[in-house]
Amino acid sequence: GRKPVGIQWCTHWSNILEKELRLKECYDDNDVWMYPAIQENGEKIYDYICISVDNILVVPSNPKIH
């Protein structure tokens, strides 16, 4: 059925995001991944990647850099 496919999808993306891109999984939502970033003024913030089923949303702190 469909459940194993969803689990495989999550495992696949978790491996890429965590091991290859070194993102951190959000403590409250395992579909949200965070990457530490620094603003021009030196403030520490995060860029976010949200993954749900077959949708991916990237929320960079500064879109000009990415």
Side-chain angles (χ1 to χ4, degrees), residues 21-32:
L21 300 177
R22 299 181 184 200
L23 276 73
K24 294 182 180 181
E25 188 175 11
C26 179
Y27 296 113
D28 295 326
D29 188 340
N30 61 359
D31 291 333
V32 178

Side-chain angles (χ1 to χ4, degrees), residues 8-30:
Q8 290 172 348
W9 172 260
C10 290
T11 302
H12 171 76
W13 277 108
S14 293
N15 287 332
I16 290 172
L17 295 171
E18 187 173 14
K19 295 177 182 171
E20 294 182 26
L21 300 177
R22 299 181 184 200
L23 276 73
K24 294 182 180 181
E25 188 175 11
C26 179
Y27 296 113
D28 295 326
D29 188 340
N30 61 359

Side-chain angles (χ1 to χ4, degrees), residues 11-66:
T11 302
H12 171 76
W13 277 108
S14 293
N15 287 332
I16 290 172
L17 295 171
E18 187 173 14
K19 295 177 182 171
E20 294 182 26
L21 300 177
R22 299 181 184 200
L23 276 73
K24 294 182 180 181
E25 188 175 11
C26 179
Y27 296 113
D28 295 326
D29 188 340
N30 61 359
D31 291 333
V32 178
W33 292 80
M34 306 176 296
Y35 183 80
I38 299 176
Q39 287 187 326
E40 292 177 6
N41 65 3
E43 181 182 358
K44 293 180 182 179
I45 57 172
Y46 285 95
D47 292 339
Y48 296 95
I49 296 179
C50 305
I51 298 178
S52 179
V53 187
D54 60 351
N55 297 307
I56 298 173
L57 174 66
V58 179
V59 184
S61 57
N62 185 350
K64 293 178 185 178
I65 294 174
H66 300 282

